[in-house]
Amino acid sequence: MSKEQPDWMTQGLAHLWRPYTQMKTAAPPLAVARTEGSRIYLEDGRVLIDGIASWWTACHGYNHPAIRAAVEVQIETMPHVMFGGLVHRPAADLACRLSAFLPGDLQHVFLSDSGSVAVEVAIKMAVQYWLNQGIRGRTKCLAFKGAYHGDTFAAMAVCDPDEGMHAHFKGVLAEQIIADLPEDDEKLAAFETIVALHADRLAAIIVEPLVQGAGGMIFHEAHVLRRLRAIADKYDLLLIFDEIFTGFGRTGSMFACEEAQVVPDIVTLSKALTGGTMALAATVARRKIFEAFLSDDPVHALMHGPTFMANALACAAANASLDLFAAEPRLAQVAAISRALAQGLEPCRGRKNVRDVRVKGAIGVVELDEMTDLDALKGRFIEKGVFVRPFGRIIYLTPAFTIAETDLACLTEAIVKVVG
Ligand SMILES: Cc1ncc(COP(=O)(O)O)c(C=O)c1O
């Protein structure tokens, strides 16, 4: 086993711009040779148990043979064709299947290539929904403290403007209305006051349902979403659920909207949509939104069309991923992971510097009072043979739903040891 950096990495790192990284001070990244199941195989021979499933995408584990086979078949016939004026079966099938999975009349699917773009499209749909009806001025979104919706400009603007990772851009981004989630009656009254004040400027409320992910893995109850639905209806606002993190089983149900029994007007999906194999996202709208774009006036069309939208390989991967959800007991696996996370992380509770331990579905969180040396912490996990990516004050696990019990135990044990 050699810990020497491979040549391709030394050469490449001189040119690669890394994500969310202060490249002057950060430790070098780990060179990955291959992935399989819940394992990351490094170039130097080390093998890490993966606790993150590549930013919550690889829900069936890496290199699932069924997804690989579907992509191989697709690449033989058509890796990609533009979607303007053309359509293909993998996209058509996927749109039908997503419509069947989602509740109510969420049946109109716009496919794009990343979560942030799906959020941009959702906001654009919401704003244009009003414009197409001749109602001007309803251009703002109401978003929440703790929110994270992506890294493109409209998505950044609905992230928490003070505590979020884009706070540096305050004043540059379009200003939106930011509120506390209405978690109790008092907050509900304050929330309604804000909505009433701004209603005639608002196009939509946007929320990550049940779990605010990158903003700190903060959970809220389903009743909060029912309140949002009621307020949106009362003030005639659209309600957008950003299920890019929560969708496809992560919280314990297939979608958070299903668990909350709320039908939003627009849903965004990505991350686990292709089982973590390829870039694909969807913005799914209810019939009334779709119909507001049908007109004899070409200006009423949605002027959006990313070059790689509905990429055939990605759609084939997504269809194969949905087949796996149908054929294999994913939600039961999530329930088992949930129990194991709760049990495995419980010893952290009450430890010095531990503020909270919480679990929802296949999301396990240990929140610290403070995190001083993030890089050192990441290094300690690597030494223990696990890949865990703490951020802010949060150490969390979002493993593949197919992870072996023993591997999951290694992950929780590593966290208990490191926290202790
Ligand atoms: C809730 C939510 N929305 C949007 C995004 C952005 O997705 P992407 O990174 O694919 O642009 C993320 C990514 O973490 C997310 O968690």
Side-chain angles (χ1 to χ4, degrees):
M1 183 193 302
S2 144
K3 286 202 186 169
E4 243 177 54
Q5 198 162 289
D7 286 347
W8 61 257
M9 176 165 162
T10 314
Q11 285 154 15
L13 278 183
H15 303 283
L16 282 171
W17 202 312
R18 298 167 59 195
Y20 307 122
T21 303
Q22 177 40 265
M23 290 176 287
K24 184 171 177 190
T25 52
L30 301 165
V32 181
R34 65 185 183 91
T35 53
E36 189 73 44
S38 283
R39 301 286 167 104
I40 299 174
Y41 295 81
L42 300 183
E43 285 276 0
D44 62 17
R46 288 177 292 171
V47 182
L48 302 177
I49 300 171
D50 181 13
I52 307 301
S54 277
W55 278 327
W56 331 322
T57 62
C59 55
H60 313 289
Y62 296 114
N63 299 19
H64 195 288
I67 299 183
R68 225 169 47 205
V71 171
E72 277 166 17
V73 168
Q74 186 59 42
I75 208 165
E76 290 289 326
T77 49
M78 181 176 62
H80 180 71
V81 67
M82 65 180 279
F83 216 55
L86 302 172
V87 69
H88 51 74
R89 180 156 191 185
D93 287 352
L94 180 59
C96 292
R97 296 176 77 178
L98 290 177
S99 301
F101 260 121
L102 288 164
D105 56 354
L106 281 161
Q107 288 182 2
H108 300 279
V109 181
F110 187 95
L111 295 165
S112 59
D113 41 17
S114 80
S116 299
V117 172
V119 170
E120 298 275 332
V121 171
I123 293 173
K124 197 166 175 179
M125 276 178 184
V127 170
Q128 195 175 341
Y129 169 80
W130 298 108
L131 287 176
N132 281 1
Q133 296 174 76
I135 301 167
R136 303 199 75 79
R138 298 190 67 159
T139 57
K140 298 277 170 200
C141 284
L142 188 148
F144 294 97
K145 289 183 188 159
Y148 174 79
H149 294 287
D151 297 348
T152 53
F153 268 60
M156 284 160 72
V158 286
C159 296
D160 186 319
D162 299 310
E163 304 292 327
M165 69 171 84
H166 304 306
H168 200 49
F169 280 79
K170 203 173 178 177
V172 178
L173 299 170
E175 213 172 296
Q176 306 292 6
I177 314 300
I178 307 295
D180 283 311
L181 277 165
E183 288 181 285
D184 53 36
D185 289 345
E186 201 180 315
K187 284 187 176 160
L188 180 62
F191 179 70
E192 187 161 358
T193 306
I194 294 175
V195 173
L197 188 65
H198 297 285
D200 58 352
R201 300 200 295 147
L202 283 173
I205 298 172
I206 180 165
V207 67
E208 295 156 87
L210 298 181
V211 183
Q212 291 181 309
M217 299 290 167
I218 307 158
F219 306 159
H220 56 259
E221 300 288 330
H223 67 75
V224 175
L225 302 170
R226 292 195 280 273
R227 286 174 168 162
L228 293 184
R229 181 68 274 178
I231 296 266
D233 289 343
K234 184 169 169 187
Y235 290 89
D236 199 15
L237 307 176
L238 300 182
L239 182 60
I240 303 171
F241 276 9
D242 177 353
E243 294 231 28
I244 287 166
F245 177 31
T246 55
F248 304 104
R250 184 54 66 183
T251 64
S253 48
M254 195 62 179
F255 299 100
C257 59
E258 188 188 311
E259 185 173 333
Q261 297 186 325
V262 170
V263 183
D265 298 300
I266 303 176
V267 173
T268 55
L269 304 168
S270 189
K271 299 255 186 222
L273 174 58
T274 63
T277 52
M278 243 168 290
L280 186 68
T283 306
V284 187
R286 291 178 78 168
R287 191 174 306 124
K288 73 168 183 176
I289 313 287
F290 184 71
E291 285 177 353
F293 288 73
L294 302 180
S295 155
D296 293 325
D297 186 347
V299 166
H300 288 171
L302 180 69
M303 294 308 286
H304 214 94
T307 305
F308 281 99
M309 78 174 285
N311 172 258
L313 288 176
C315 290
N319 283 318
S321 174
L322 292 180
D323 288 342
L324 287 172
F325 273 103
E328 297 185 5
R330 288 291 175 266
L331 295 185
Q333 288 168 322
V334 171
I337 289 172
S338 202
R339 289 190 292 274
L341 286 172
Q343 203 179 16
L345 295 176
E346 190 56 26
C348 297
R349 199 182 296 282
R351 293 266 174 94
K352 199 168 151 239
N353 198 26
V354 172
R355 181 174 294 189
D356 190 26
V357 177
R358 53 182 178 269
V359 172
K360 172 137 193 79
I363 310 167
V365 182
V366 177
E367 181 173 348
L368 306 180
D369 286 324
E370 60 172 354
M371 185 109 75
T372 42
D373 190 343
L374 201 56
D375 259 350
L377 193 64
K378 286 177 189 167
R380 291 182 65 198
F381 283 118
I382 304 297
E383 281 163 21
K384 297 200 175 313
V386 300
F387 187 67
V388 177
R389 293 264 307 172
F391 68 92
R393 291 194 314 267
I394 302 296
I395 302 172
Y396 75 96
L397 294 174
T398 49
F401 304 157
T402 49
I403 191 168
E405 245 177 80
T406 44
D407 281 357
L408 188 56
C410 288
L411 289 167
T412 53
E413 278 160 24
I415 292 182
V416 171
K417 279 192 189 129
V418 166
V419 164

